[in-house]
Each structure stands twice: as C-alpha cells, then as structure tokens.
Amino acid sequence: MANIYMPRKAEILSIIPQTDIDYTFRLKSNIMPKHGQFLQVSIPKIGEAPISISDYTDEYIELTIRKVGTVTDAIHELKPGDFLFIRGPYGYGFPIEDFKDKNVVIAAGGTGLAPVKSIINRYYRNPKEIKKLNILVGFKSPKDILFEDEIKKWGKSFDVLLTVDNGDETWTGNTGLITKFIPDLSIESPNDTIVIVVGPPMMMKFTCLEFLKRGIPEVNIWVSFERKMSCGIGKCGHCKINETYVCLEGPVFNFTKSKQLLD
Amino acid sequence: MGIELDVKSFDDALKILSKDYKIFAPIRLKGKGSFSDTDLVTYGEISSYRDIELSEKSRYSPKEVIYPITQTLFYFTEDEYKEPEIDDKGIIVFLRPCDANSYLKLDNIFLKNGPYEDNYYKRLRDKVKFFVIECTKGFSTCFCVSTGSNKFLDYDVFFRFDNDKITCDVKNDEFSYAFSGKEVEFTPEFIEKNEIEIKLPDVDKISRNIEYVFNHELWDEYTKRCIACGRCTVSCPTCSCFSMQDIFYKDNPKCGERRRVWASCMVDGFTDVAGGHSYRQKYGERMRFKVMHKIYDYKKRFGTTMCVGCGRCDDVCPEYISFIKIVSKVTDAVER
C-alpha cells in the first residue's frame, strides 16, 4: 500500500514575486488538479501546510504563497532549482461542468484570488464556455495587489472591477470593499448566474449576503474555505467544522451547505 | 467450552505467546500518579499475571498501542526518505469490552473516513488480537451500557479473572496451543447495568434543531468552568486527532523526522489558520464541538456513537466537568 503521508519532490522552476509577502512558486509537476483543490506542501525539518493551487498546466503547477508562518517563511527562502515537497491534490474543487453556458461572477478578496485564478484563466482561454464573466477583486491596499498583469489581461476580455480598501496618493482606481460594488453590478439573469466567492471569512460572509440581495439563488453561490490541516485526508480532525471535514467535503462548498457550517 | 487456568499455567501461556506477540494490559506504575504517593494505572507490556492491574480503571486507554502519542512517519536524510520499520511480532491487548469497542471506533476514522486508509494505523491495527477481560460490574463513572459498548463478541480469547482463578474461552484457534487446563462450562458475561445510565439524544432530533442545540446556553457554563487542558481528549479511547511535527537532529540539521503527535480540539491552537484567524475560541464552543462529535455527527457518519462510555473523561477532569451531565443536558434540550 502506497504511503499517503509520504510527499514527493517538486522542483521550483521559477519564483514570481507578487507583493512583498506573496510569491508565486512555479513547480515542475504533471498534476492536473480540479480548480479549487489544494496540496499539502512541506519542507522537511520545517513542516507541512495546505496550499491552494493557483494555476496549472500539464507541465507545472503554481502556488501563490503568503509569508505568514513557519512553513511559508521557509518556503520564501527557497530559490529556483530547490525543491518543495508535495502530496495531493486533495479535496473537492469547483463543479466547473455545471457552470457551462451560465453567467459567472467571481468575487475574490486578497489571497482568495489564488484558488480561483486557474478558473479565470480557463475562461480566458475558452471564453465560449460561459455566457459572461464578471470579476471583482479586492485588496487591502495598492501594494497588496496580486497578479496585477493578469488582472489587466483579464480586463481585455471580461468585466473586471479592481478595488482596494485603502488607496494611497498614487491610487486612482476604486476604493472600498467589494460589497460596495455588488449593488451596481450588472446581473441580467440571477437564476442563470453562478457566483464564486473566495477570501477572508468576513469578506465571504458579507459578499454572499450582498449577492443574495441581488436575487442570486443560494444554490448558485460557491465558496472556498481555508482551514488548518495536518493530513488533508479526513484523519487529523483540525479542519472539521461541526460534522463536515473541509478537506474531504470542501474546501469548495455550495452556499446552501456553507451556511450550515456552524463554528 | 472454557479452560480453567491457574496463575502458573496463565503465566506459561504468556511466555509461549510472547515469542510471537507483544502483550499489553492495564498495569500499575508505582508512584507515577499525578499526585504525590499515588500510582498511575495505564497500559504497558506485561510478562506475568501479577503485572495486570484489574482493580482500577486505567487512566489512559489502550489506544496508544495502535496509535502512539508520538509516531514517526518517516525519517529524512539529505536525499532520501525512510519509513520506520515496525516489530515483526503481533500484538495482544488485554482490554475490557468498552476499550475493545473503541478500537472499532478508531477504525472508522483511520480506515474508513475519506478515500484513503491510514497506513501507519493499519499496519499496527492488523496485528491486534483482542484478549477481552470480563467486566460485569464496571466502575462508578462507567456508562457503557448506554452507549452500547458493554459487549464485544469478536474476541480472540475471553478471560474471567476471579482473584487467582482464571477461566478463558479461546475463540481463535490460533491461540489454542498456548492454553492448557481443565475444560469447564463457560459462558462469557457482560455488564448489563451500570450505576450510571444516560439517555443519548436522538440524532434526527438534533439535526432538526441543530441551530438551537449549537446556540443553547448550556455550553456557556463550560466557557467558565473548562480550562482547556485537554485531559478529557488524551484519556479518551476514541479521540483520534493529531498534528504534524518536523524535527531535525542537532548534530546533523540536514537529517530529521516527521512525526505525528496527538492533538486536542479542546486546547489552544487547534483551529489556527494562516493570518492569525482561529475558531472556537470560547471553551464552551470547544466543549460543544467535542461532545457533538462523540454523540451526534460521528453517529450520522458511521451509524454508531463514538463515545464508548468508559467515563475516563469524567475521571480525569481537574474541573470536575461531567461529560455524562453534558450529554443529559443535550438530550433534555432536544426533547424539550
């Protein structure tokens, strides 16, 4: 029986700084995950942490990692040619097949843009897969903006709204929380619109509520949760919320389910 | 049909079995208790009848025989990984029916939850042979009858220890060679009534009133009383949560090991996530999470209550918090 806890080596092909504390690590890998799945990423001697996959091809995967703890601090010390250790992918991703021929709205806050970036790029490559894509992305400040070039690129094909909570003297774009812009969003047919919301817990809660006010049925709203995990496979218990294991039944949840996740 | 043994023939059997098996049973460690001049009753390897402690409930359960407190998952050197070897010997565990049932509860998590079996658990679990100790009276905090864990029929050998008179029923023929003595009529008995009886809440009723139960004021008491020490979960035979831990060796920092260590939903840090968020910060919320896991959501998932009614959590709580009373309060709340 293969040892499921044993990670495999993945070479770092390149490292793309996004902000002072967020770097995208491109790893040599032929994993073809579902959008929204995650990996258990580790450095021997330091530890292991769940990281969502921000993009992939059949030759590499990308992980956008914020420097926020012991493991991620150590990952940020690595150079191209070094190795990260991975196992997975784990969890359920977005049921992308069900989104075909629909209007899709993706609302992402901060690093929450990482787990949905591959979906946006998928639609960028195959725009006819859906009717229309609206993208709302919010960051704390201009210096926290991730994937700036890609956001500009997406803007050529889709309606993209970029906002920051607090601008600075050079900022001429939108300011305010994502929720501020939802009332004015063009949503032609709520029943035919899929909404994906990923970000910090408070942002997800209030963003979902705003979309409900716009008449989007609960069943059309999808979210992705972040939880600590030691196993990623339903054993360690850290990610359990009430009766739900985020690693097994998530991290992607339909709103009808996520609203029942009482903590 | 049973076999009557005296202490010598029992010890002879242990000697024979010890060639192929490591043998675990409740033992008494003199002076190792929490307080001065007290003993610790726990699980350990035995070699004779006199090593087995039968008069007192073990503070720790036999779960660490198959799920050690600290377990090395692999060693790493500069360019290779190595899984630790395990002993070739089988494992015999002397345990009461509640604890034998607790192994089945752990099986559900480690072998059946999610798409993968846990290798490290399975390779020890597959070795286990159940030598069940007859338990007809229990202890003052036991409630195994209420949780349906008072019986365990899938034993390999069943023992009645009546002072120094030992009777056994060898169900697994694999062990027949070790036990010899006078054949006697013997029917294993199980406890039919504990001093404590509790009514477990109906799972469907909880489901229908989930928000009411979760937000019930009964949990507030434990925010005040519980000190989040985690003793209840460490002593629990069915608690299975763990954290990962990497270490490296001081004399060669390029080498080290990845371990898993027991964790507890009751203690700080269990739900920490990146960026400083954490969940269930109130101790009452943690208590609710633990209790509901034992009596509600585990049952929904696996069709059986997780708690085996051993009562160890009540025995060890330094704040005298009673799991039994909490369960009764939950039952009362849903039966309102």
Side-chain angles (χ1 to χ4, degrees), chain B residues 199-292:
Chain B
K199 188 180 174 195
L200 293 169
D202 182 82
V203 166
D204 292 334
K205 280 184 184 163
I206 295 181
S207 288
R208 286 198 294 275
N209 298 286
I210 190 75
E211 288 202 40
Y212 173 76
V213 176
F214 266 56
N215 297 319
H216 199 283
E217 63 187 16
L218 78 91
W219 307 111
D220 297 342
E221 177 186 340
Y222 305 101
T223 298
K224 292 175 192 150
R225 287 180 66 195
C226 176
I227 58 167
C229 67
R231 275 188 178 197
C232 50
T233 52
V234 171
S235 65
C236 177
T238 66
C239 271
S240 57
C241 292
F242 61 83
S243 293
M244 295 289 202
Q245 197 178 63
D246 277 25
I247 60 137
F248 58 91
Y249 306 136
K250 277 185 182 166
D251 51 354
N252 183 359
K254 290 184 174 173
C255 301
E257 57 193 81
R258 179 163 296 165
R259 298 167 171 173
R260 69 167 162 207
V261 293
W262 288 1
S264 166
C265 58
M266 298 304 296
V267 305
D268 291 346
F270 188 76
T271 61
D272 285 358
V273 295
H277 295 287
S278 67
Y279 305 89
R280 301 191 295 271
Q281 288 179 340
K282 286 183 187 171
Y283 297 164
E285 292 170 342
R286 296 181 196 180
M287 187 64 82
R288 185 208 68 217
F289 177 81
K290 181 192 73 181
V291 171
M292 296 303 270

Side-chain angles (χ1 to χ4, degrees), chain A residues 106-143:
Chain A
I106 295 179
T111 48
L113 183 54
V116 292
K117 183 167 91 91
S118 65
I119 304 181
I120 301 174
N121 278 334
R122 174 195 176 112
Y123 293 146
Y124 186 78
R125 290 191 298 273
N126 310 290
K128 289 183 179 165
E129 194 175 327
I130 51 171
K131 268 192 206 162
K132 184 185 167 196
L133 177 64
N134 280 84
I135 301 166
L136 298 168
V137 278
F139 298 96
K140 276 187 183 163
S141 73
K143 69 177 175 55

Side-chain angles (χ1 to χ4, degrees), chain A residues 66-254:
Chain A
R66 175 165 286 185
K67 200 171 180 293
V68 285
T70 321
V71 177
T72 50
D73 285 356
I75 291 173
H76 275 242
E77 298 293 316
L78 299 176
K79 306 276 179 294
D82 290 343
F83 291 91
L84 270 174
F85 292 77
I86 56 173
R87 57 191 179 89
Y90 296 130
Y92 273 99
F94 291 96
I96 209 87
E97 296 301 315
D98 298 345
F99 303 166
K100 274 185 181 162
D101 302 322
K102 308 260 186 186
N103 302 312
V104 177
V105 181
I106 295 179
T111 48
L113 183 54
V116 292
K117 183 167 91 91
S118 65
I119 304 181
I120 301 174
N121 278 334
R122 174 195 176 112
Y123 293 146
Y124 186 78
R125 290 191 298 273
N126 310 290
K128 289 183 179 165
E129 194 175 327
I130 51 171
K131 268 192 206 162
K132 184 185 167 196
L133 177 64
N134 280 84
I135 301 166
L136 298 168
V137 278
F139 298 96
K140 276 187 183 163
S141 73
K143 69 177 175 55
D144 296 312
I145 295 174
L146 300 174
F147 314 122
E148 206 162 0
D149 293 341
E150 287 189 279
I151 292 172
K152 279 182 195 152
K153 182 184 84 176
W154 298 333
K156 291 173 190 163
S157 298
F158 309 119
D159 285 338
V160 177
L161 189 140
L162 171 65
T163 178
V164 296
D165 298 354
N166 300 298
D168 55 21
E169 60 281 0
T170 62
W171 181 252
T172 55
N174 298 305
T175 54
L177 304 175
I178 281 179
T179 45
K180 180 177 138 184
F181 300 93
I182 297 171
D184 299 325
L185 201 64
S186 158
I187 299 175
E188 286 147 26
S189 164
N191 287 326
D192 213 22
T193 299
I194 298 292
V195 173
I196 295 171
V197 181
V198 189
M202 290 301 258
M203 173 265 173
M204 287 205 287
K205 180 180 172 184
F206 289 104
T207 304
C208 289
L209 291 176
E210 284 299 323
F211 280 111
L212 291 172
K213 282 187 208 161
R214 292 297 311 273
I216 306 288
E218 288 186 354
V219 72
N220 288 14
I221 301 176
W222 294 85
V223 297
S224 178
F225 276 35
E226 180 198 11
R227 284 287 165 144
K228 181 183 180 180
M229 289 162 199
S230 286
C231 69
I233 51 171
K235 316 292 181 195
C236 78
H238 284 279
C239 72
K240 193 168 164 282
I241 308 171
N242 183 8
E243 63 192 74
T244 303
Y245 289 82
V246 172
C247 64
L248 297 180
E249 285 119 85
V252 170
F253 293 99
N254 189 264

Side-chain angles (χ1 to χ4, degrees), chain B residues 11 20-21 80 91 166 174 178 195 199 269 326:
Chain B
D11 283 351
D20 298 318
Y21 293 92
E80 71 172 4
I91 295 170
I166 304 156
E174 200 181 304
E195 286 176 37
K199 188 180 174 195
I326 302 173

Side-chain angles (χ1 to χ4, degrees), chain B residues 296-308:
Chain B
Y296 168 63
D297 58 71
Y298 182 98
K299 188 167 184 184
K300 267 180 82 178
R301 190 171 283 262
F302 300 112
T304 168
T305 301
M306 190 179 197
C307 174
V308 292

